């Protein structure tokens, strides 16, 4: 066997882990692994631990690009557990297990783990209707379950509409259920749910992911998206309940967090977290639809029979209840961060208030909004409960060498050691650390506006928007993944191996999945499944939360400039793609495909005749009004090389990489031909209008990624040559004409550090086009790219505000490609991405389908109901009724 690499798991919580389930993804170089069974894992005791491997992605030659590993590891307190990956053709080295089984009957599903037995009833949906541990029944039959309380106090139980096995291997089984809430009278509640249950071989524990969602569209009258919208749904509470078998004699052990001692109680106990407990806990970030802050006290309180016995600031509790030998324990991940939250114990009933009734307000789930909570449930003997506390707070995370990530050909590299002598590279590394350093980190900045609570946790504070405010701590602005902070964080994680970068990416990705993506297919085609903009520039979020535009903004800017929604300009998926490959979690995969669907429907255009005719009329009137003096506008999705088209192109490439469906590649190539050509008169693009045209480099960088994809697949076809010709032409124009934006501050509305940070993208584009060029032009392109990288560093350092969120994210996401290629070029190791003699290309531009074909396509997709709905929405929007 040949050693491939080593993966290390470090125990940092101070507890002995016993066969803790772990799942992680890793990339592999092209051609290395062709059969999944060729990979063997051996631990430090030279034994083969339980593991199972699943391919997630393949290279064009059929070899495996990403592998997802499942295993169970035992690690001592504050110890390390290395796993050695070997290449072996001895197929018998991978162990096979068969204890984990799934059985279905008409009314329920039974999961057998080898040590526990879980019964899941489908209607009403009771995830743990009966549970047996080592043959002993622990959970009372058909008790507990999940309860939704509507705003009028009526109770609703979930029922399953459909379910499927999401993952099934010898070590792990994930069941996914979806459905609606029903009342006893048979009425159906407008909210729906998704519940995923994770089970593990030889383990009496499960992870529960419960998502509550409102798939109805918002009404967003007048283009504003405030709380209280007609599409919102209000409710009183949502709880998950578990009742142990037996009548009396139950004891309770609980801990407030992973640093507090375990307390034993026999009385009923409730732990309720009302706010974040931070110094700015009463932030305006938490206003409701009436612009009121419903929070009542700082932190949490522990009560028993109505009497307060303890209080504090931030709780991450774990509760375990039992009688005699058998116990049930539970915890909610990120409990205080996702306030309000509640855990209560009484007479063997454990109740988890995901949306607790004790909160001083109704809960509002906006149209197209959802929220996912993760809970851990443990069964066992009393002696094992303490051991199960800490995985809830601090699950094991693998450490993979940054060199491995880079050498796989999939991830950004830790640059060559000789680069350490480069002062600009040193400056880059020092500056980028501000995003995770304790005092200046993005996590620490959440405290400024209390970026916590079930709707906010994971979000970044957009502090760069507060530069004109006298009291920044009173100014609320949300970032919403601008410039793909998720992928920027993962890029730095791949370079450094620092877990803080991964945690930042994961928390932000989870927030964006739930809150920032518009989870509906019932609104206008431009909005469905799209990503909301960040909060409007330099304006307070008011009551629009994370939805960009508030009615309050009409008091802050001209009313005709107020309006918006999900946008192709603000659509980022690469971070989700890599999060899926790193974790195997399907919600990240689904986010890529949802945003890709948004782009595809944007390219197809209207799905009603009414809207199609309306758009034609509006364009005609605008053209007639403008005459020959048409104003310069920001390029839209199909107008030219800009941010909308560049981000959309990148989304389509991500979707293709994710599932290999050629339809995404065809849409991508169609979009390219619509927006850009080797025959372009670049001067007519009016790139001198920097405020409206700087985004063209976003499109060019996506073109670079397209060429890389075609290189990997060895498809040097006409479209490949077309794009290479475009990049060479635009690259040569950049060498001769581009300048640092801050050299002409007089034409910029706000000449600030963000303009300096935009230079890094130019350096990436020029370094890549240098790979397509030869001779003197290659040298000029690479040196001009180096010039822009240096100007980016120097330009940012001239401002005290270089440390703010947007410029730092731009650094996290850009400049790495340039540095990698630049140092290879200096060493004479630069790979040529294209043939030295390229064939002539057909440069006709795809202007899209003609009117007749568009009408035919719309007729296939529309219905009378959709036509009437669109007309009514337009009337309603105009009248604001």
């Amino acid at each position: 066997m040949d050693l491939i690499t080593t993966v290390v798991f470090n125990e940092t919580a101070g507890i002995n882990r016993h066969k803790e389930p772990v799942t992680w993804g890793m990339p592999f170089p092209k051609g290395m692994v062709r059969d999944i069974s060729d990979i063997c894992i051996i631990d430090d005791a030279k034994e083969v631990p339980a593991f199972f491997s699943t391919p997630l992605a393949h290279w064009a030659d059929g070899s495996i690009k990403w592998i997802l590993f499942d295993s169970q590891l035992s690690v001592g307190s504050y110890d390390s557990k290395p796993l050695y990956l070997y290449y072996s053709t001895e197929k018998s080295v991978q162990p096979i297990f068969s204890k984990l089984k799934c059985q279905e009957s008409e009314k329920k599903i039974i999961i057998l783990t080898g040590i526990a037995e879980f019964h899941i009833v489908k209607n009403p949906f009771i995830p743990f209707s009966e549970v047996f541990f080592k043959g002993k029944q622990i959970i009372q039959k058909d008790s507990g379950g999940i309860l939704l309380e509507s705003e009028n106090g009526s109770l609703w139980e979930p029922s399953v509409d459909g379910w499927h096995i999401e993952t099934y291997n010898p070590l792990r089984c994930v069941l996914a259920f979806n459905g609606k809430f029903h009342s006893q009278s048979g009425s159906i509640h407008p909210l729906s749910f998704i519940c995923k249950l994770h089970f593990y071989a030889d383990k009496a524990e499960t992870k529960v992911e419960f998502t509550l969602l409102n798939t109805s569209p918002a009404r967003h009258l007048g283009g504003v998206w405030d709380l209280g919208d007609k599409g919102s749904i209000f409710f009183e509470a949502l709880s998950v309940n578990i009742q142990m078998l037996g009548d009396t004699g139950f004891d309770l052990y609980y801990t407030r967090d992973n640093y507090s001692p375990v307390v034993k109680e026999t009385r009923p106990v409730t732990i309720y977290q009302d706010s974040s407990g931070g110094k700015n806990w009463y932030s305006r970030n938490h206003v409701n639809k009436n612009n009121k802050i419903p929070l009542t006290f700082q932190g949490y309180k522990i009560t028993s029979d109505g009497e307060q016995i303890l209080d504090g600031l931030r709780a991450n509790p774990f509760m375990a209840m039992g009688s005699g030998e058998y116990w049930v324990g539970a915890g909610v991940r990120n409990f205080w961060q996702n306030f309000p939250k509640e855990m209560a114990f009484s007479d063997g009933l454990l109740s988890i208030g995901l949306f607790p009734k004790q909160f001083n307000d109704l809960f509002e789930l906006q149209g197209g909004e959802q929220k996912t909570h993760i809970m851990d449930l443990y069964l066992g003997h009393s002696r094992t409960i303490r051991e199960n506390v800490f995985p809830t707070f601090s699950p094991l995370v693998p450490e993979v060498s940054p060199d491995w990530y880079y050498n796989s050909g999939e991830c950004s590299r830790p640059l060559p050691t000789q680069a350490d002598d480069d002062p600009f590279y040193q400056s880059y590394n020092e500056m980028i650390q501000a995003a995770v350093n304790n005092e200046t980190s993005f996590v620490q900045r959440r405290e400024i506006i209390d970026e916590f609570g079930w709707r906010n946790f994971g979000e970044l504070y957009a502090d760069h928007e507060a530069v004109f405010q006298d009291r920044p701590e009173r100014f609320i602005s949300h970032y919403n993944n601008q410039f793909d902070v998720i992928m920027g964080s993962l890029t730095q994680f791949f370079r450094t191996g620092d877990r803080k970068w991964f945690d930042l990416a994961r928390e932000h990705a989870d927030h964006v999945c739930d809150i920032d993506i518009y989870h509906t297919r019932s609104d206008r085609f431009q909005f469905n499944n799209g990503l909301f903009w960040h909060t409007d520039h330099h304006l307070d979020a008011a009551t629009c939360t994370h939805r960009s535009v508030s009615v309050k903004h009409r008091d802050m800017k001209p009313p005709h400039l107020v309006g918006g929604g999900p946008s192709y300009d603000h659509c980022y998926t690469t971070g989700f793609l890599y999060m899926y490959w790193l974790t195997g979690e399907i919600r990240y995969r689904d986010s890529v495909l949802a945003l890709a669907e948004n782009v595809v429907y944007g390219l197809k255009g209207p799905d009603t005749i009414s809207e199609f005719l309306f758009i034609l009329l509006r364009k005609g009137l605008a053209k007639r009004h403008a005459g020959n003096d048409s104003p310069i506008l920001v390029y839209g999705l199909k107008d030219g090389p800009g941010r909308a088209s560049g981000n959309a192109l990148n989304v389509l490439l991500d979707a293709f990489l994710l599932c290999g469906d050629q339809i995404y590649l065809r849409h991508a190539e169609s979009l390219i031909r619509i927006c850009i050509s080797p025959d372009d008169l670049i001067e007519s693009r009016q790139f001198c209008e920097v405020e409206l045209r700087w985004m063209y480099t976003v499109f060019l960088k996506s073109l670079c990624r397209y060429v890389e994809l075609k290189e990997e697949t060895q498809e040097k076809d006409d479209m490949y040559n077309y794009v290479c010709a475009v990049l060479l032409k635009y690259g040569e124009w950049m060498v001769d004409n581009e300048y640092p934006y801050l050299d002409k501050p007089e034409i910029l509305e706000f000449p600030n550090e963000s303009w300096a940070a935009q230079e890094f993208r130019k350096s990436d584009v020029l370094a890549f086009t240098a790979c397509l060029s030869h001779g003197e032009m290659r040298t000029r392109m690479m040196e001009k790219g180096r010039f822009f990288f240096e100007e980016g560093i120097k330009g940012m350092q001239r401002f005290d505000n270089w440390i703010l969120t947007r410029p730092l994210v731009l650094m996290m996401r850009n400049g790495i490609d340039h540095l990698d290629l630049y140092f290879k070029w200096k060493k004479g190791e630069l790979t040529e991405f294209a043939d030295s003699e390229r064939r002539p290309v057909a440069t006709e531009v795809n202007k899209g389908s003609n009117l007749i074909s568009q009408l035919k396509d719309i007729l296939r997709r529309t219905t009378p109901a959709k036509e009437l709905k669109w007309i009514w929405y337009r009337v309603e929007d105009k009248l604001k009724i």
Side-chain angles (χ1 to χ4, degrees):
M1 296 191 297
D2 299 320
L3 179 65
I4 298 175
T5 189
T6 304
V7 181
V8 180
F9 291 82
N10 293 314
E11 205 295 312
T12 59
I15 192 167
N16 294 317
R17 314 287 183 113
H18 179 66
K19 292 186 176 180
E20 181 176 322
V22 291
T23 300
W24 77 99
M26 285 178 58
F28 286 81
K30 185 176 181 180
M32 174 177 282
V33 182
R34 296 191 177 276
D35 189 326
I36 196 69
S37 62
D38 290 343
I39 298 295
C40 176
I41 296 178
I42 296 178
D43 64 17
D44 50 344
K46 297 186 178 180
E47 296 180 352
V48 179
F51 80 95
F52 189 84
S53 46
T54 306
L56 293 182
H58 290 79
W59 295 99
D61 67 354
S63 60
I64 300 173
K65 182 188 290 187
W66 281 84
I67 297 177
L68 187 72
F69 293 98
D70 282 294
S71 188
Q72 294 182 359
L73 301 181
S74 297
V75 188
S77 172
Y78 297 116
D79 202 354
S80 294
K81 181 75 171 183
L83 295 180
Y84 304 98
L85 273 66
Y86 284 87
Y87 181 84
S88 173
T89 56
E90 300 175 20
K91 308 304 181 184
S92 61
V93 297
Q94 184 162 345
I96 302 297
F97 301 88
S98 59
K99 292 183 178 180
L100 189 60
K101 296 180 180 179
C102 177
Q103 303 172 350
E104 182 184 14
S105 65
E106 182 180 351
K107 294 183 178 180
K108 65 182 180 179
I109 299 161
I110 299 175
I111 295 292
L112 305 173
T113 71
I115 193 173
E117 183 176 318
F118 297 86
H119 292 228
I120 305 159
V121 173
K122 291 182 280 188
N123 190 6
F125 177 54
I126 305 177
F128 310 108
S129 65
E130 289 181 272
V131 179
F132 298 82
F133 176 68
K134 293 186 175 180
K136 169 73 174 181
Q137 184 175 351
I138 294 180
I139 301 297
Q140 187 169 308
K141 184 177 180 180
D142 295 340
S143 64
I146 299 168
L147 282 178
L148 173 71
E149 184 174 344
S150 62
E151 59 180 318
N152 64 6
S154 58
L155 298 178
W156 306 72
E157 291 182 315
S159 290
V160 173
D161 293 332
W163 76 282
H164 64 277
I165 299 176
E166 189 173 273
T167 299
Y168 193 14
N169 65 53
L171 289 175
R172 182 167 62 101
C173 176
V174 182
L175 307 183
F177 301 85
N178 63 278
K180 296 280 190 181
F181 292 88
H182 294 254
S183 68
Q184 289 186 346
S185 64
S187 300
I188 300 177
H189 197 277
L191 290 176
S192 54
F193 75 90
I194 298 170
C195 183
K196 298 184 180 182
L197 305 176
H198 299 242
F199 300 96
Y200 310 96
D202 276 325
K203 303 294 288 186
E205 63 191 64
T206 180
K207 181 173 76 172
V208 181
E209 297 178 62
F210 193 86
T211 302
L212 188 68
L213 63 157
N214 176 7
T215 58
S216 301
R219 304 305 283 271
H220 49 86
L221 302 181
V224 297
W225 297 78
D226 296 85
L227 293 168
D229 181 272
K230 289 185 176 182
S232 292
I233 298 173
F234 296 86
F235 61 100
E236 183 77 29
L238 177 73
S239 62
V240 178
N241 307 286
I242 301 167
Q243 178 68 59
M244 284 201 72
L245 188 65
D247 299 322
T248 59
F250 294 103
D251 293 325
L252 172 71
Y253 286 103
Y254 73 89
T255 178
R256 291 171 289 161
D257 52 50
N258 52 322
Y259 305 107
S260 301
V262 175
V263 178
K264 182 179 180 181
E265 276 284 0
T266 56
R267 301 177 296 171
V269 171
T270 297
I271 301 177
Y272 171 66
Q273 183 90 35
D274 189 70
S275 64
S276 75
K279 65 178 182 179
N280 293 320
W281 68 274
Y282 202 68
S283 167
R284 286 181 47 258
N285 195 22
H286 309 303
V287 296
N288 61 15
K289 66 184 179 71
N290 299 316
N291 205 29
K292 304 295 183 182
I293 303 172
L295 310 183
T296 54
F297 63 88
Q298 183 179 12
Y300 68 88
K301 292 180 180 179
I302 303 179
T303 58
S304 179
D305 292 327
E307 176 188 351
Q308 181 175 321
I309 58 178
L310 196 64
D311 62 11
L313 297 179
R314 291 174 167 174
N316 264 322
F318 184 92
M319 281 189 170
M321 60 182 179
S323 177
E325 185 179 1
Y326 297 102
W327 291 71
V328 175
V332 180
R333 301 194 185 187
N334 298 311
F335 185 90
W336 71 262
Q337 294 94 329
N338 284 292
F339 75 84
K341 288 290 170 288
E342 181 181 83
M343 290 188 72
F345 161 81
S346 178
D347 297 327
L349 175 66
L350 182 62
S351 181
I352 301 172
L354 299 181
F355 293 95
K357 187 173 183 177
Q358 192 173 160
F359 187 57
N360 186 38
D361 200 5
L362 293 173
F363 295 99
E364 177 180 353
L365 209 59
Q366 298 171 282
E369 189 174 48
Q370 67 180 37
K371 177 60 183 179
T372 302
H373 291 98
I374 299 178
M375 298 161 281
D376 295 288
L377 176 70
Y378 299 91
L379 310 176
H381 301 285
S382 57
R383 65 179 179 272
T384 66
I385 291 299
R386 176 71 179 176
E387 295 179 3
N388 286 324
V389 173
F390 288 94
T392 294
F393 304 132
S394 182
L396 294 172
V397 173
E399 290 188 9
V400 179
S401 162
D403 284 315
W404 177 263
Y405 282 123
Y406 175 70
N407 291 329
S408 71
E410 256 299 284
C411 309
S412 297
R413 76 173 300 165
L415 298 172
T417 54
Q418 61 267 30
D420 292 342
D421 298 329
D422 186 284
F424 290 97
Y425 177 52
Q426 291 176 354
S427 295
Y428 174 86
N429 280 332
E430 292 169 2
M431 294 170 73
I432 209 73
Q433 286 301 306
V436 290
N437 285 342
N438 290 336
E439 294 182 359
T440 60
S441 70
F442 289 153
V443 170
Q444 187 62 34
R445 294 182 212 190
R446 293 172 182 165
E447 303 285 352
I448 298 173
I449 62 169
D450 205 57
E451 197 72 283
F452 301 108
W454 67 267
R455 181 178 276 125
N456 302 314
F457 177 59
E459 177 63 287
L460 302 190
Y461 174 41
D463 54 1
H464 54 280
E465 303 289 359
V467 293
F468 301 117
Q469 310 300 317
D470 294 332
R471 299 286 298 275
E473 72 278 6
R474 295 178 178 269
F475 179 84
I476 311 299
S477 185
H478 304 297
Y479 197 72
N480 285 38
N481 203 34
Q482 187 182 17
F483 299 117
D484 203 347
V485 65
I486 302 170
M487 191 59 211
S489 301
L490 291 179
T491 297
Q492 302 307 319
F493 171 67
F494 294 142
R495 293 185 62 240
T496 66
D498 188 342
R499 178 176 172 172
K500 288 183 288 188
W501 287 112
F502 177 78
D503 290 342
L504 181 67
R506 183 165 198 156
E507 290 170 0
H508 193 61
D510 289 345
H511 165 81
V512 175
C513 277
D514 280 343
I515 307 301
D516 295 341
I517 294 178
Y518 190 33
H519 301 278
T520 187
R521 288 188 171 97
S522 302
D523 206 326
R524 303 175 193 171
F525 77 93
Q526 305 97 322
F527 293 161
N528 292 333
N529 283 318
L531 184 68
F532 283 98
W533 281 98
H534 50 79
T535 309
D536 204 353
H537 286 306
H538 307 300
L539 300 180
D540 187 272
T543 55
C544 73
T545 69
H546 302 267
R547 297 198 161 192
S548 318
V549 184
S550 169
V551 67
K552 305 291 193 305
H553 294 168
R554 291 175 181 155
D555 299 328
M556 307 173 192
K557 63 191 297 188
H560 70 280
L561 297 179
V562 176
S567 172
Y568 309 116
D569 292 76
H570 190 76
C571 191
Y572 307 97
T573 52
T574 306
F576 286 127
L577 174 67
Y578 279 85
M579 282 299 299
Y580 168 66
W581 282 341
L582 282 165
T583 67
E585 294 186 13
I586 300 299
R587 65 179 179 274
Y588 303 134
R589 180 182 186 272
D590 290 346
S591 295
V592 175
L593 296 179
L595 292 170
E597 179 182 294
N598 173 254
V599 168
V600 168
Y601 277 96
L603 294 174
K604 289 182 177 180
D607 56 359
T608 62
I609 298 296
S610 304
E611 185 166 10
F612 177 74
L613 296 175
F614 176 80
I615 291 173
L616 282 182
L617 178 62
R618 188 172 58 182
K619 285 184 176 180
L621 291 174
K623 186 175 181 180
R624 179 178 178 183
H625 177 74
N628 294 324
D629 299 321
S630 299
I632 299 174
L633 301 174
V634 173
Y635 282 137
L637 177 62
K638 295 185 282 188
D639 300 325
R643 178 168 54 186
S645 54
N647 285 338
L649 173 57
N650 193 65
V651 168
L652 294 169
L653 297 180
D654 283 333
F656 173 73
L657 288 168
L658 180 68
C659 60
D661 192 335
Q662 288 288 328
I663 189 64
Y664 294 116
L665 201 57
R666 290 198 293 272
H667 280 304
E669 292 173 345
S670 175
L671 179 61
I672 291 170
R673 285 190 175 271
I674 288 172
C675 292
I676 202 165
S677 168
D679 291 338
D680 282 346
L681 297 175
I682 298 180
E683 290 73 16
S684 68
R685 294 289 191 184
Q686 297 176 295
F687 290 152
C688 59
E689 298 290 339
V690 174
E691 290 277 2
L692 302 175
R693 288 289 187 266
W694 67 264
M695 302 92 157
Y696 82 94
T697 58
V698 175
F699 190 87
L700 293 186
K701 190 165 181 180
S702 293
L703 285 184
C704 295
R705 194 160 181 240
Y706 171 84
V707 171
E708 283 187 305
L709 188 154
K710 299 288 277 191
E711 283 281 340
E712 192 276 308
T713 59
Q714 291 296 300
E715 295 180 36
K716 296 186 178 181
D717 53 14
D718 288 342
M719 196 63 206
Y720 169 87
N721 289 316
Y722 180 97
V723 174
C724 287
V726 166
L727 285 171
L728 281 170
K729 179 165 186 171
Y730 276 76
E732 290 173 8
W733 181 90
M734 290 177 69
V735 168
D736 294 332
N737 296 277
E738 267 294 359
Y739 64 91
Y741 294 128
L742 291 174
D743 281 2
K744 298 180 181 180
E746 66 278 3
I747 68 173
L748 303 175
E749 183 179 7
F750 301 109
N752 56 26
E753 63 287 335
S754 290
W755 284 108
Q758 299 286 9
E759 306 296 345
F760 298 120
R761 191 185 303 103
K762 296 179 189 174
S763 72
D764 285 345
V765 171
L766 284 167
F768 191 89
T769 55
C771 298
L772 306 178
S773 189
H774 308 278
E776 180 184 356
M777 182 52 69
R778 167 175 282 196
T779 300
R780 293 182 64 197
M781 285 180 174
M782 195 61 80
E783 290 179 345
K784 193 64 177 282
R786 172 67 176 186
F787 167 76
F788 283 122
F789 184 84
E790 294 181 5
E791 285 298 306
I793 296 289
K794 292 187 291 185
M796 288 183 67
Q797 290 176 336
R798 289 202 297 268
F799 295 88
D800 292 336
N801 287 335
W802 67 265
I803 202 170
L804 297 179
T805 299
R806 182 171 58 194
L808 269 180
V809 171
L810 282 165
M811 286 190 76
M812 288 158 53
R813 192 69 180 94
N814 299 287
I816 294 294
D817 293 344
H818 157 76
L819 288 167
D820 184 18
L821 296 173
Y822 175 78
F823 287 117
K824 284 180 178 177
W825 175 69
K826 294 287 285 186
K827 292 176 62 179
E829 298 175 352
L830 188 64
T831 300
E832 294 188 5
F833 287 146
D835 300 324
S836 57
E837 295 294 334
R838 278 181 285 277
R839 300 188 301 273
V841 297
T843 58
E844 72 276 4
V845 177
N846 176 9
K847 293 301 183 182
S849 55
N850 58 42
L851 294 181
I852 299 300
S853 61
Q854 288 183 62
L855 281 169
K856 289 181 179 179
D857 180 62
I858 295 170
L859 285 170
R860 285 193 295 268
R861 292 185 286 144
T862 192
T863 64
K866 288 173 69 173
E867 297 288 343
L868 290 172
K869 183 178 180 180
W870 187 89
I871 293 170
W872 169 244
Y873 274 11
R874 290 302 304 178
V875 172
E876 186 182 44
D877 187 61
K878 192 69 175 177
L879 299 178
K880 297 180 178 62
I881 57 177

